[in-house]
Amino acid sequence: MNCFDDNERCCCCGNANATSNDRIIIQSGPAGATGATGPAGPRGLTGATGPTGATGPRGYDGYDGATGATGPRGLTGPTGATGATGATGPTGATGPEGTQVTDNSAYAANSSNTTVPVVLAGTKIPLPDWQTVTPGISMSADNTEFTINVAGKYLIMYEVHLTVPIAAGTRLVLNGTAYAPSTIQPLNPETGFNNSIIVTCDAGVSVSLELFGINASAILHTGAGATLTIIQLA
C-alpha cells in the first residue's frame, strides 16, 4: 500500500512530516467481515461447435458360440384331477320307424298224408295247407311254387317226413334250377329230410320243394309231412 504523497510525505499516519525514508511500521487491523455475494453476471454467448472428429475403424464381428448340449428332460408333472361330468343332454327326437323286412315271409305245409309220385328228374311237393303268405311273396295256383316279389336276402328252410323210407333225395329249385347247397341225397333210404339256406334273390324268383332221384311213391306223414318257410332278412 502506498501511503506517501508526491512530496514523499506519509499520509497514512499521524505524523504528517514523515517521509518515505522514515521507517514506519504500519500494523494492519483485523480483517473485516466478508461482504455479501454480488448478483451473477449475465450468461455469456454459446461458443461455436467444433469440427466433427474422424470416424474410428470398424470393429470385427464376433463369431457365434457353439450350440450348447440339450439339457435333460424334466420330470412329468402329475395328472390333473378329472373334471366333473357334464350334464346329460336332452333326448333327441325319435326317428322314423324302420322297415321290418321279416314281415315279408311265407309258410306252407302238406299235412294230408299225401302220396307223391317221385321221378328221377324230380317232382314238386304240393303245399296246400296252413299257408301264411305276405304281399311280398305269392303262391302258385297248384300250391307247388312260391314267387318272391321283393328283391333281398332270404332265409329258406324245408322239412320232409315220409311214412316209409325210400332212397330219394330232396332239394330246393330256384327259377327252375336245382340249388345244390339245399340238396340232401342220402346213400341209404331215409324218412326224414331238412335243410336251410340263405340266398340273395331278385324280384320274381320262384321257389319250390322237390323229391328226386328215384322212380317211386313217397307217402308224406300226416301233420308236418312237408313244410317250406321263406323269411326276408334284408
Side-chain angles (χ1 to χ4, degrees):
M1 177 180 175
N2 187 7
C3 294
F4 298 93
D5 57 16
D6 292 340
N7 296 316
E8 295 296 326
R9 292 184 182 275
C10 179
C11 58
C12 294
C13 59
N15 187 359
N17 294 317
T19 65
S20 59
N21 292 324
D22 294 325
R23 295 183 181 270
I24 299 173
I25 297 175
I26 299 174
Q27 186 175 4
S28 298
T34 302
T37 303
R43 182 174 180 178
L45 298 176
T46 301
T49 302
T52 302
T55 302
R58 182 177 180 180
Y60 293 101
D61 293 334
Y63 294 102
D64 292 337
T67 302
T70 301
R73 182 176 180 177
L75 298 176
T76 301
T79 302
T82 302
T85 302
T88 302
T91 302
T94 302
E97 183 176 355
T99 302
Q100 299 291 328
V101 295
T102 55
D103 286 345
N104 189 27
S105 60
Y107 171 84
N110 189 317
S111 60
S112 305
N113 193 219
T114 301
T115 298
V116 180
V118 184
V119 297
L120 287 173
T123 300
K124 295 178 182 179
I125 302 174
L127 303 165
D129 307 312
W130 309 104
Q131 291 181 359
T132 302
V133 183
T134 60
I137 301 174
S138 57
M139 175 64 86
S140 64
D142 62 358
N143 299 309
T144 62
E145 189 173 270
F146 283 116
T147 298
I148 294 173
N149 300 313
V150 178
K153 183 181 292 184
Y154 287 84
L155 171 63
I156 305 176
M157 302 177 287
Y158 74 82
E159 291 190 16
V160 176
H161 300 282
L162 305 177
T163 59
V164 177
I166 61 174
T170 57
R171 65 191 178 191
L172 294 171
V173 177
L174 306 182
N175 268 358
T177 302
Y179 191 67
S182 70
T183 301
I184 297 175
Q185 192 168 17
L187 297 176
N188 299 312
E190 295 285 350
T191 59
F193 309 83
N194 64 82
N195 201 353
S196 60
I197 62 171
I198 295 177
V199 60
T200 299
C201 298
D202 294 328
V205 171
S206 62
V207 182
S208 58
L209 174 60
E210 283 190 348
L211 282 163
F212 74 98
I214 192 173
N215 293 316
S217 293
I219 303 172
L220 300 177
H221 266 288
T222 301
T227 64
L228 179 60
T229 303
I230 301 175
I231 300 173
Q232 186 179 7
L233 302 178

